[in-house]
Amino acid sequence: MKILGIDTSCDETAAAVVADGREILSNVVASQIDVHQEYGGIVPELASRKHIEAINYIVRRSLAEADVTFQDLEAIAVTNRPGLIGALLVGVAAAKSLAYCHNLPLLSINHIEGHIYANVMVHDMLPFPHICLTVSGGHTLLVEVHEGWQYKVLGSTQDDAAGEVYDKVAKYLGLGFPGGKIIDDLAQKGDPLRIKFPRPMRDSGDYQFSFSGIKTSVRYFVEKAQRAGVLIKNGQKDVENTNPDMVTIEDIAASFQAAVVDILVYKSLHAAKSTGASAITLTGGVAANSELRASLKTAAAEVGAEVYYPPMSLCTDNGAMIAGIAYQKYQQGLRDGLSLNAAANGSIVDV
Ligand code: KG4
Ligand code: ZN
């Protein structure tokens, strides 16, 4: 059973064809990074316009790459929440039109459910319940995932998402956008113990997150180091210096990353321990982070839990995860009408 999955929730126009919820026949993504790069962040209005330009082509390509036509499809699934409202509306309008024209059932999907499902799609033996940490530019949340696509949200960020903070810190350091991969790479060459950045809410005893305090702390640190003339810029790490106050951009990256990863790992582990889950899955763009993967793996091993993450193409926004979870929801009887609307917010437990 083949389903077309469409996702336009943020800055990627994505469409994919998936058979029986697991077999990815195509997974096409048009990134808008070059458009938003010059603004150092995503500009919602530009994202909507770019989706409009790309959507028809991306859908056509996803069918061509899967070597199918609309007649071979069983349903059309689309992310309708949560996300940038103007961006979501483009995907929803496209999916509704296609469902109507080709007389196919329409299914609305929660973007976070898609991210969670990405791991189920590629790891056959994933046990239930398991703990899923979704960390991206727009989301940070810990979820207990139960059989039958039932979820218990344990906690989420009270302010910025983890990826958003990576992007902001990269901006303060004069690096490019998106900043996650750049900081991850720089951090490999820095000292994570050089600066003790705060770990907000790490010991709050619950599963809520807060990252804006770390962001502000890094900002003040960078500004102070610049004023004092002790900041050693990118690539000049080996410059000989005798001033003990000198700090490299690599050290800042490593110390910042240590703070973020410490919190994410601590809370994920706490969740696994207190629920007795034997698996922790990572998903979202930040799931690519090398330190997060390594630290979580080491920490989880201590409590006998396994860590799983999908390939990068399924970590970041894509249509395959939407078509995948849609297959499961189709079996459960989900169908939407042509009055379907988009919503900027939407919890996964209210589906
Ligand atoms: O899932 P995604 O592609 O889009 C959203 O839905 O937000 O995630 C993008 C985010 C960006 O904030 C980016 O900086 C971050 O993921 N990211 C990383 C890494 N690669 C991407 N953050 C930390 N380390 C990385 N290696
Ligand atoms: Zn996402």
Side-chain angles (χ1 to χ4, degrees):
M1 176 178 164
K2 300 182 182 79
I3 295 183
L4 168 69
I6 296 174
D7 188 291
T8 60
S9 58
C10 193
D11 63 334
E12 260 116 19
T13 316
V17 178
V18 174
D20 303 328
R22 279 184 189 267
E23 193 191 342
I24 300 171
L25 303 179
S26 67
N27 193 15
V28 183
V29 179
S31 167
Q32 303 178 356
I33 281 180
D34 52 339
V35 180
H36 302 285
Q37 225 151 24
E38 65 175 293
Y39 302 97
I42 294 159
V43 184
E45 179 58 26
L46 284 180
S48 313
R49 291 186 201 186
K50 285 285 151 190
H51 284 310
I52 292 171
E53 284 171 27
I55 189 72
N56 287 337
Y57 174 71
I58 294 302
V59 167
R60 271 204 305 275
R61 232 179 93 182
S62 71
L63 294 183
E65 284 189 17
D67 200 17
V68 298
T69 66
F70 281 104
Q71 279 70 50
D72 300 313
L73 298 178
E74 221 57 53
I76 296 185
V78 64
T79 300
N80 79 320
R81 65 196 188 285
L84 302 171
I85 189 70
L88 285 164
L89 278 168
V90 178
V92 169
K96 286 204 291 193
S97 317
L98 291 169
Y100 176 70
C101 291
H102 299 284
N103 200 23
L104 287 165
L106 175 70
L107 282 84
S108 68
I109 299 295
N110 182 304
H111 183 72
I112 300 299
E113 271 199 278
H115 273 307
I116 292 170
Y117 187 78
N119 272 295
V120 181
M121 226 169 162
V122 288
H123 302 297
D124 289 357
M125 307 304 284
L126 198 55
F128 289 92
H130 61 259
I131 298 296
C132 179
L133 175 67
T134 303
V135 263
S136 72
H139 310 279
T140 303
L141 74 167
L142 259 179
V143 179
E144 200 180 326
V145 185
H146 291 267
E147 223 151 334
W149 321 111
Q150 308 264 340
Y151 313 94
K152 182 175 177 197
V153 178
L154 300 174
S156 59
T157 183
Q158 306 300 294
D159 40 54
D160 296 350
E164 193 180 350
V165 173
Y166 264 93
D167 296 337
K168 292 275 167 54
V169 165
K171 204 170 170 180
Y172 303 151
L173 293 171
L175 307 167
F177 172 84
K181 170 92 172 79
I182 305 171
I183 291 195
D184 192 3
D185 290 347
L186 279 176
Q188 314 295 320
K189 296 174 254 159
D191 175 5
L193 302 175
R194 177 71 175 77
I195 310 140
K196 179 86 179 146
F197 287 122
R199 270 83 166 147
M201 291 183 81
R202 179 190 185 273
D203 302 308
S204 58
D206 58 16
Y207 302 106
Q208 309 298 351
F209 298 92
S210 168
F211 293 107
S212 72
I214 305 181
K215 177 185 76 179
T216 312
S217 184
V218 174
R219 183 179 177 174
Y220 288 157
F221 185 91
V222 171
E223 285 173 1
K224 203 170 154 204
Q226 270 166 342
R227 274 198 306 274
V230 294
L231 182 67
I232 303 176
K233 292 271 164 54
N234 197 3
Q236 296 175 340
K237 187 175 160 34
D238 298 329
V239 170
E240 202 171 310
N241 72 79
T242 47
N243 182 350
D245 289 337
M246 288 299 229
V247 60
T248 66
I249 188 164
E250 287 87 348
D251 288 344
I252 298 174
S255 301
F256 156 73
Q257 179 155 288
V260 173
V261 169
D262 183 15
I263 298 166
L264 292 173
V265 169
Y266 187 84
K267 299 240 170 182
S268 304
L269 211 68
H270 178 39
K273 270 197 278 193
S274 51
T275 60
S278 60
I280 303 171
T281 64
L282 274 175
T283 189
V286 185
N289 189 265
S290 55
E291 185 55 34
L292 176 60
R293 288 180 175 195
S295 297
L296 189 58
K297 202 163 177 222
T298 309
E302 285 165 24
V303 296
E306 284 282 338
V307 175
Y308 298 84
Y309 40 79
M312 199 53 199
S313 58
L314 294 179
C315 271
T316 51
D317 291 351
N318 65 88
M321 65 187 191
I322 304 303
I325 182 66
Y327 170 79
Q328 309 294 347
K329 297 266 159 178
Y330 187 93
Q331 310 298 325
Q332 291 183 334
L334 176 72
R335 304 289 186 278
D336 283 282
L338 293 176
S339 60
L340 177 69
N341 209 347
N345 300 308
S347 158
I348 47 175
V349 284
D350 65 9
V351 289

